[in-house]
Amino acid sequence: MSDPIPHRIHARPVPRPGRFLAAAVVLVLAAMVVNGLVTNPNYRWDTVWLYLRDVVVIRGVMWTLVLTFGSMAIAVVLAVLLAVMRRSDNPVMRWVAWAYIWFFRGTPIYTQLVFWGLLAVLYPRLSLGIPFGPEFFSFSTRDVITAFWAALIGLALNEAAYLAEIVRAGLSSVDPGQTEAAKALGMKDSKILRRVVLPQAMRVIVPPTGNETISMLKTTSLVIAVPFTHDLFYATNAIGNRLYQTIPLLVIAAIWYLLITSVLMVGQHYLERYYGRGFGTETGRRRAGGGTGPSGSRKERKARKQDLIRQSGTTKDDPFLEVTP
């Protein structure tokens, strides 16, 4: 039977054997890795399943989460303050913020945590008063700055230096015309930052902040430098030393870190989607242009027709009622 449309081009997909070869190689390598994990008796999977839900391990997971979210909450507040100071017209504010970021980004977090653990040795008593003048009151450093608070403050102050640059980049991404328009309406600087600039900057701030949160989760394993001995890594390490089975307990710690990281990645995905609404997405194009194509979807045209019917008082069977894109 002849083709009713002459000279039609019968296109065929271009063969790509390299893709199938690469996929086969990757699958073979992945199968080898899984086989090595499952069949190697040195991993002691029986010990892994036995202690995966141990009370001490679960308590370590809870303390790790407290350190992660507590330090990130403090760091976010400090980061916004530092970013605003970096953008301030006051040179003292700018230089203080720059010096803070320079110091905490330039020294290792482990070293900082060691100093926080030695705070009671360096300053046995802390006081509040006038410099070189009278003291209003004082207290023992060891009684107030416990190992937990030292770990929390040390992690937060270090993270604030990194987040400050992220927030500053997000604030700089907002068109200056937004601020000028808000000032023309008589809005105060604090309200402009809170209601105009920050909501638009969140699209840029959220992705790297999510990465920093995941990084903070794993950085909590360094609080042994304080020393704080209730986090997940220390708990699993202590059990492994007691049983002389270090590898299975390290596997348990890795599993828990992977589980928590997976949950944080899902939350980061939804936050990015929420703050990225209308920026380079199909939803944003539909909102800006009234549909996916020149005339919008059938559902949108029907909704516009119903609006016209309600506004004009005509019936839906009116042949002269047409909805144009």
Side-chain angles (χ1 to χ4, degrees), residues 4-181:
I5 302 178
H7 307 296
R8 175 187 290 180
I9 298 176
H10 297 277
R12 296 180 180 179
V14 178
R16 302 181 186 275
R19 291 184 177 181
F20 296 100
L21 179 61
V25 171
V26 170
L27 287 176
V28 170
L29 292 176
M32 293 173 61
V33 171
V34 172
N35 178 72
L37 290 173
V38 173
T39 60
N40 192 336
N42 294 323
Y43 285 107
R44 296 297 302 271
W45 291 107
D46 54 337
T47 305
V48 171
W49 304 131
L50 179 63
Y51 283 92
L52 186 63
R53 295 174 294 175
D54 187 78
V55 175
V56 177
V57 174
I58 298 299
R59 188 184 300 121
V61 172
M62 299 306 297
W63 278 111
T64 296
L65 292 176
V66 170
L67 285 173
T68 300
F69 292 109
S71 58
M72 285 301 297
I74 299 173
V76 166
V77 176
L78 289 176
V80 174
L81 179 62
L82 289 169
V84 173
M85 291 171 63
R86 285 290 304 272
R87 294 162 55 91
S88 174
D89 296 332
N90 190 328
V92 176
M93 294 291 186
R94 290 200 307 269
W95 280 102
V96 169
W98 181 89
Y100 179 97
I101 295 171
W102 166 77
F103 176 80
F104 282 97
R105 290 176 64 189
T107 54
I109 176 61
Y110 191 87
T111 304
Q112 296 174 27
L113 291 174
V114 170
F115 271 97
W116 278 103
L118 297 174
L119 185 64
V121 177
L122 295 172
Y123 303 99
R125 300 190 66 82
L126 296 177
S127 61
L128 181 63
I130 300 175
F132 308 103
E135 296 181 356
F136 299 140
F137 63 89
S138 63
F139 52 86
S140 174
T141 305
R142 192 179 300 276
D143 295 337
V144 177
I145 308 297
T146 61
F148 168 76
W149 287 109
L152 184 70
I153 295 172
L155 293 173
L157 293 181
N158 179 79
E159 184 61 32
Y162 293 91
L163 287 181
E165 293 299 285
I166 294 173
V167 175
R168 185 173 67 89
L171 297 179
S172 300
S173 67
V174 180
D175 190 349
Q178 301 283 333
T179 303
E180 295 173 0

